[in-house]
Amino acid sequence: MLIEEGYIQLENYFLDGTKIEANANRYTFVWKKNVDRYKTNLQTKIQDLLDEIDEVEKEEMNLYQGNDLEELGENRQVSTKQLDETISYLEQRLEKEPENKSLKKAVKKIRSDYLPRLERYEDQQSVFQGRNSFSKTDHDATFMRTKDDHYQNGQLKPCYNLQVGTENQFIVGYSVHQRPGDTKCMSPHLDQLNSNLGKLPKSIIADAGYGSEENYAYLETNARKAYVKFNTFHREQSKKWKNDISKVENWSYDEQKDEFICANNRRLTFQYETTEETETGYEITKRNYKCSDCDGCPLREQCTKSATGRTVSISPKLLAYKQQARDLLWGEEGRKLSIQRSVEIESVFGHLKENRAFRRFLLRGLPKVSVEVGLLSLAHNLIKKAAVCVRQSLDKSMDKTFPLSA
């Protein structure tokens, strides 16, 4: 409706994220590192107990599809299904040897303690789905740092990461994520926007939280202008950064020889290439360079702390994307959009959090939370549209009262 009536044109899309507290207990949380550690310790206890039974009974238990326990090595992992089969096997042996106290004690220990704990840890690990934490009262909520206390010191609360895109201060698209950071939320958010509207806006304007190689590549693939800052964009303008001889950005590059030249005119030659893969499957190729002439360099202490000489790992694609971002952001249109971004998206968050007092979700679970944000976005857009209509009608009445000819 907003597109049809001309309120938005899908020209410039201002994207940003904010954390909204979940409707969950703030103190009942589960951390992945703790669960992994507890499960590892439990696996060790289980294996020790099974090995002890084997040693006492002087016979092998055929529990792992015909493999002996010794053949599985030190990193054996027992699942709940295997442990349940183990108990069944031990109980069968106990029926034949009812006087075997050590076996009876082992069966009781596994049945009443080890098996329930292992089931709980496996259930918890299935909930994480790539996250580091979740709330016990809302499994979809992740613990994130917030800044809504009066000291602004970053409290840890169960939250959702709300991504919002605006144009003319209307909410054009939104998505709810379980990741604390904004970087990996851009492509899923824009995919959802494309699915809803059938196309993407021509230009994407976002802050440094979105400036990754994968995001730049995504926007390039979709032929969209990327007015997206990277993490060092503003620091590069400082005098301290420009005078820092350790920064690769302050060096020169010899394209013909594929060598970087440091501040002391010593060359870093190409050594080898490495490839990293992100969670989404995007491959980042890095070229590694090393200086073989660092000995005796008077600037070495300012350049590197390595005892073997200065090495750098460079992604050529990221360097090119950063330069494209600089050219766009420092252009006349880029400066204008950067100033407009702070007015566009921050005012919308101000309306949502302050004027609407929406700082905590009422519902639990990602699907219900998404519906809640959708209703809130509809309300915001209707109120905004009403305000624009009132302003337009007032302008028309003022023109009739005070015509320009007068």
Side-chain angles (χ1 to χ4, degrees), residues 318-349:
L318 183 57
L319 287 180
Y321 286 139
K322 283 184 175 181
Q323 189 56 48
Q324 290 177 12
R326 291 187 192 98
D327 295 339
L328 285 173
L329 290 167
W330 285 114
E332 183 178 349
E333 184 68 14
R335 291 174 182 271
K336 177 182 175 183
L337 292 174
S338 295
I339 295 172
Q340 187 180 350
R341 191 195 70 83
S342 60
V343 178
E344 268 282 339
I345 190 68
E346 296 301 337
S347 63
V348 172
F349 286 153

Side-chain angles (χ1 to χ4, degrees), residues 161 163 180-188 208-213 215:
N161 188 349
Q163 298 289 311
D182 293 335
T183 307
K184 296 180 181 178
C185 295
M186 174 180 273
S187 56
Y210 301 89
S212 69
E213 180 181 331
N215 287 340

Side-chain angles (χ1 to χ4, degrees), residues 104-204:
K104 187 183 293 185
K105 182 179 179 182
V107 171
K108 183 179 179 181
K109 185 69 175 177
I110 296 174
R111 176 69 72 183
S112 62
D113 184 14
Y114 290 171
L115 183 59
R117 285 168 60 189
L118 186 60
E119 287 177 343
R120 184 170 73 251
Y121 296 151
E122 287 186 352
D123 290 342
Q124 289 174 343
Q125 286 181 327
S126 66
V127 172
F128 286 116
Q129 296 180 348
R131 296 179 293 158
N132 293 324
S133 63
F134 69 84
S135 171
K136 288 184 179 180
T137 49
D138 183 358
H139 288 181
D140 289 344
T142 307
F143 278 80
M144 306 178 187
R145 291 286 178 186
T146 60
K147 298 179 181 179
D148 56 357
D149 65 320
H150 59 284
Y151 287 112
Q152 296 286 300
N153 58 3
Q155 292 183 333
L156 199 63
K157 296 179 181 179
C159 295
Y160 290 95
N161 188 349
L162 173 60
Q163 298 289 311
V164 174
T166 68
E167 183 179 347
N168 296 332
Q169 297 184 16
F170 287 99
I171 297 178
V172 181
Y174 74 89
S175 60
V176 183
H177 302 263
Q178 297 169 290
R179 296 179 177 277
D182 293 335
T183 307
K184 296 180 181 178
C185 295
M186 174 180 273
S187 56
H189 174 87
L190 294 179
D191 284 340
Q192 181 177 317
L193 180 69
N194 191 21
S195 176
N196 292 339
L197 301 181
K199 61 178 179 179
L200 290 174
K202 294 181 180 179
S203 302
I204 308 298

Side-chain angles (χ1 to χ4, degrees), residues 15 22 28 109 173 177 182 210 217 265 267 288 302-303 332 337 374:
L15 176 63
T28 57
K109 185 69 175 177
H177 302 263
D182 293 335
Y210 301 89
N265 291 322
R267 292 177 175 262
N288 296 271
Q302 302 175 44
C303 184
E332 183 178 349
L337 292 174

Side-chain angles (χ1 to χ4, degrees), residues 216-227:
Y216 287 131
Y218 176 90
L219 295 175
E220 183 182 52
T221 302
N222 288 276
R224 293 296 179 263
K225 282 190 176 181
Y227 294 95

Side-chain angles (χ1 to χ4, degrees), residues 290-295 300 304-312:
K290 183 177 180 179
C291 180
S292 57
D293 193 25
C294 279
D295 294 338
R300 180 167 180 169
T304 181
K305 295 180 181 179
S306 173
T308 59
R310 180 65 190 272
T311 59
V312 293

Side-chain angles (χ1 to χ4, degrees), residues 31-159:
W31 294 101
K32 187 177 185 300
K33 288 184 178 180
N34 291 343
V35 173
D36 292 343
R37 185 174 71 252
Y38 296 153
K39 186 180 177 182
T40 300
N41 293 338
L42 179 60
Q43 291 280 356
T44 302
K45 292 180 180 179
I46 293 172
Q47 293 296 345
D48 289 344
L49 181 59
L50 296 179
D51 291 343
E52 183 181 343
I53 295 172
D54 280 341
E55 185 177 351
V56 172
E57 299 300 326
K58 302 296 183 182
E59 62 178 289
E60 296 292 340
M61 292 187 301
N62 188 18
L63 303 174
Y64 300 91
Q65 299 178 354
N67 293 326
D68 294 335
L69 289 174
E70 286 79 2
E71 295 177 356
L72 295 176
E74 297 180 356
N75 297 322
R76 317 172 271 207
Q77 294 292 313
V78 181
S79 65
T80 53
K81 182 180 179 181
Q82 290 173 323
L83 192 58
D84 196 42
E85 292 173 355
T86 302
I87 296 174
S88 300
Y89 177 81
L90 293 177
E91 287 175 341
Q92 291 175 8
R93 290 176 56 183
L94 192 59
E95 290 177 1
K96 299 176 183 180
E97 308 170 39
E99 302 301 325
N100 192 330
K101 293 184 178 180
S102 62
L103 191 59
K104 187 183 293 185
K105 182 179 179 182
V107 171
K108 183 179 179 181
K109 185 69 175 177
I110 296 174
R111 176 69 72 183
S112 62
D113 184 14
Y114 290 171
L115 183 59
R117 285 168 60 189
L118 186 60
E119 287 177 343
R120 184 170 73 251
Y121 296 151
E122 287 186 352
D123 290 342
Q124 289 174 343
Q125 286 181 327
S126 66
V127 172
F128 286 116
Q129 296 180 348
R131 296 179 293 158
N132 293 324
S133 63
F134 69 84
S135 171
K136 288 184 179 180
T137 49
D138 183 358
H139 288 181
D140 289 344
T142 307
F143 278 80
M144 306 178 187
R145 291 286 178 186
T146 60
K147 298 179 181 179
D148 56 357
D149 65 320
H150 59 284
Y151 287 112
Q152 296 286 300
N153 58 3
Q155 292 183 333
L156 199 63
K157 296 179 181 179
C159 295

Side-chain angles (χ1 to χ4, degrees), residues 332-381:
E332 183 178 349
E333 184 68 14
R335 291 174 182 271
K336 177 182 175 183
L337 292 174
S338 295
I339 295 172
Q340 187 180 350
R341 191 195 70 83
S342 60
V343 178
E344 268 282 339
I345 190 68
E346 296 301 337
S347 63
V348 172
F349 286 153
H351 280 298
L352 297 182
K353 288 188 170 183
E354 297 295 335
N355 297 347
R356 321 273 187 261
F358 186 78
R359 292 184 171 274
R360 193 169 189 258
F361 287 107
L362 302 176
L363 305 177
R364 294 179 178 179
L366 190 60
K368 293 181 180 179
V369 164
S370 298
V371 172
E372 199 171 347
V373 175
L375 293 173
L376 189 70
S377 300
L378 284 171
H380 171 84
N381 286 346

